[in-house]
Amino acid sequence: MPPFAGKRILLGVSAGIAAYKSALIIRLLKQAGMEVRVVMTDGAQAFITPLTLQALSGEPVRTSLLDPGAEAGMGHIELARWADLILIAPGTADLMARLAHGMADDLLTTLCLASEAPRLMAPAMNQVMWRHPATQRNLEQLSRDGWQWVGPDAGDQACGDIGPGRMSEPEAVAEAVFKVFRPAQTSRSCHIVITAGPTREPLDPVRYLSNHSSGKMGYALAHAAARTGARVSLISGPVNLPTPAGVERFDVDSAAQMHSAAHRLAQGADIFIGCAAVVDFRAEAPAEHKIKKHQNEDSLTLILVKNPDIIADIAALPSASRPLVIGFAAETRDVEHYARDKLARKGLDMIVANDISQAGGVFGSDDNAAWLLWKTPDGQASESLPSQPKARLASDIIQRALDLLAFGETP
């Protein structure tokens, strides 16, 4: 079941070029299982059509306070009571001013006055308008009235200016919505340990066994986890990536080193995510000196031994110190079959499976798709996440992990 199934979002769209972003916001909220109904101001309809948002939300779009059909049953009051959250994206300077003064001169402002639901706004306007003292006074008043905010961001604007006032990206707005409903205790004081990147197993002082892992997925997970406010420990194999802000990084090289760091950090942690591509075998006896190629030898025999199974060992920790354990499965065929087998065989709580046989692969790419499988009190549940930037996919996975930690299964 999607993580926020049944939550009811009333999305208000006001006049601004950023209104086009509301379409993707609806899609992201619907993917999370939320019900979305849309109210548009007159000006908003000049930038995006009600039909577009109706097709995405699956619900009629309301545009008028004086709608005879709806008002026969006091429709605006029913809609105000229906909402679990009112989200306005984009929110213009004009709309902020009217709300700050308690006006109810159209359907959207009337709903805001008639509802007791939490209220969240993503402002969008020219940088001079955002900085204007009147807008800042309205911002302060609305904050005192209980409004929450996402953005605005700074950067290039449609008018050619550069500065604060850009509406936050749809992913950031959706994440702000999710935070309203996510139990605060799931991320506050939560310790998440993540492994990332490849390991290297030396054959001699020059050569080693490894794989194509870039570490991008693990680092994206660490960044997404840190954004929730969690304490994040990242155990990283050799990669060429900067440490995400707010993350404590522990560099390792071999599987044995990663195994030692994982055991030390995972005991007492809340969540352990094994995203690293750990080399399964190592040389039994790495050569002390560089292995030479001799003219009379056409082959080389290496004796390899198994590396420790990091994720299985963490899953086998005593319950008092065992975290929620999430593994990854990169497969070239029968993805679901092998994922179910790995979940059971290694005693995991959730597994993230990737099909690496697709064109372009997964290692080193910026996009990824995944199939999630997790344990529930009644058995197992699963969800497919479409191909998308790894940063967005990582945010979805962290959300599922936090929900699983809070509820024992995703809500």
Side-chain angles (χ1 to χ4, degrees):
M1 181 181 296
F4 300 102
K7 296 298 182 183
R8 300 186 295 268
I9 310 302
L10 179 62
L11 173 61
V13 182
S14 63
I17 188 62
Y20 75 91
K21 294 183 180 180
S22 61
L24 184 52
I25 292 172
I26 294 172
R27 181 171 176 268
L28 293 171
L29 298 182
K30 294 282 287 185
Q31 284 179 346
M34 295 179 165
E35 299 178 34
V36 182
R37 295 184 182 178
V38 181
V39 172
M40 301 180 70
T41 65
D42 288 342
Q45 298 170 65
F47 293 93
I48 189 169
T49 67
L51 183 60
T52 298
L53 302 188
Q54 178 175 315
L56 290 168
S57 67
E59 298 283 349
V61 172
R62 296 284 303 276
T63 59
S64 174
L65 175 61
L66 303 177
D67 182 335
E71 291 309 308
M74 297 296 287
H76 66 286
I77 299 299
E78 292 177 4
L79 193 54
R81 291 172 178 169
W82 172 86
D84 292 322
L85 172 74
I86 294 177
L87 167 66
I88 296 180
T92 62
D94 173 73
L95 181 61
M96 289 177 62
R98 289 188 287 129
L99 289 171
H101 289 82
M103 298 180 69
D105 55 350
D106 63 4
L107 179 58
L108 184 54
T109 53
T110 300
L111 289 170
C112 291
L113 283 185
S115 176
E116 296 179 339
R119 289 156 292 167
L120 173 68
M121 187 184 300
M125 64 197 73
N126 169 267
Q127 55 93 15
V128 177
M129 297 173 69
W130 173 252
R131 289 191 174 110
H132 195 283
T135 302
Q136 293 303 305
R137 284 196 302 271
N138 294 333
L139 177 69
E140 293 176 7
Q141 180 59 53
L142 289 170
S143 297
R144 287 194 294 269
D145 291 344
W147 281 87
Q148 301 177 57
W149 307 93
V150 52
D153 296 340
D156 295 336
Q157 298 186 319
C159 61
D161 283 2
I162 298 175
R166 281 172 54 100
M167 180 174 150
S168 296
E169 293 305 309
E171 294 82 4
V173 177
E175 175 61 23
V177 173
F178 300 153
K179 284 183 179 180
V180 172
F181 298 104
R182 188 180 299 126
Q185 67 270 23
T186 59
S187 58
R188 188 172 299 162
S189 301
C190 181
H191 182 199
I192 302 177
V193 179
I194 300 169
T195 66
T199 61
R200 291 176 177 174
E201 309 303 328
L203 299 176
D204 62 21
V206 177
R207 305 175 181 90
Y208 55 82
L209 297 174
S210 191
N211 55 57
H212 295 295
S213 174
S214 65
K216 289 181 178 179
M217 191 70 234
Y219 274 62
L221 287 166
H223 177 68
R227 285 176 55 195
T228 71
R231 173 191 165 203
V232 182
S233 298
L234 176 63
I235 305 170
S236 177
V239 299
N240 187 28
L241 294 171
T243 306
V247 172
E248 187 176 15
R249 174 172 164 176
F250 301 85
D251 288 319
V252 299
D253 201 64
S254 68
Q257 292 169 352
M258 184 171 284
H259 183 269
S260 176
H263 259 264
R264 176 169 53 86
L265 293 168
Q267 297 193 55
D270 298 285
I271 298 173
F272 179 87
I273 303 177
C275 187
V278 181
V279 177
D280 292 329
F281 293 89
R282 69 184 187 276
E284 182 180 50
E288 184 178 353
H289 300 287
K290 180 182 177 181
I291 300 172
K292 295 296 184 179
K293 180 176 67 175
H294 299 287
Q295 288 185 347
N296 60 345
E297 293 179 352
D298 294 328
S299 63
L300 175 67
T301 300
L302 297 173
I303 299 177
L304 304 179
V305 295
K306 276 187 177 182
N307 271 323
D309 192 326
I310 298 173
I311 195 79
D313 288 351
I314 299 300
L317 287 172
S319 58
S321 59
R322 181 190 185 278
L324 180 82
V325 182
I326 299 170
F328 273 66
E331 304 291 347
T332 58
R333 59 189 176 91
D334 298 333
V335 175
E336 293 189 15
H337 169 75
Y338 286 116
R340 291 185 188 277
D341 174 71
K342 188 172 183 178
L343 182 79
R345 179 166 43 84
K346 299 197 176 188
L348 311 181
D349 299 298
M350 187 171 89
I351 194 163
V352 181
N354 306 122
D355 184 349
I356 61 173
S357 68
Q358 302 302 310
V362 171
F363 293 127
S365 70
D366 293 323
D367 292 343
N368 202 352
W371 184 69
L372 309 187
L373 177 69
W374 62 89
K375 292 179 180 178
T376 71
D378 300 322
Q380 295 178 347
S382 65
E383 179 180 7
S384 292
L385 298 177
S387 181
Q388 56 192 300
K390 286 182 176 178
R392 191 186 306 166
L393 182 67
S395 181
D396 286 344
I397 293 169
I398 292 297
Q399 289 170 25
R400 305 302 188 273
L402 291 171
D403 293 333
L404 194 59
L405 180 68
F407 300 103
E409 60 178 297
T410 55

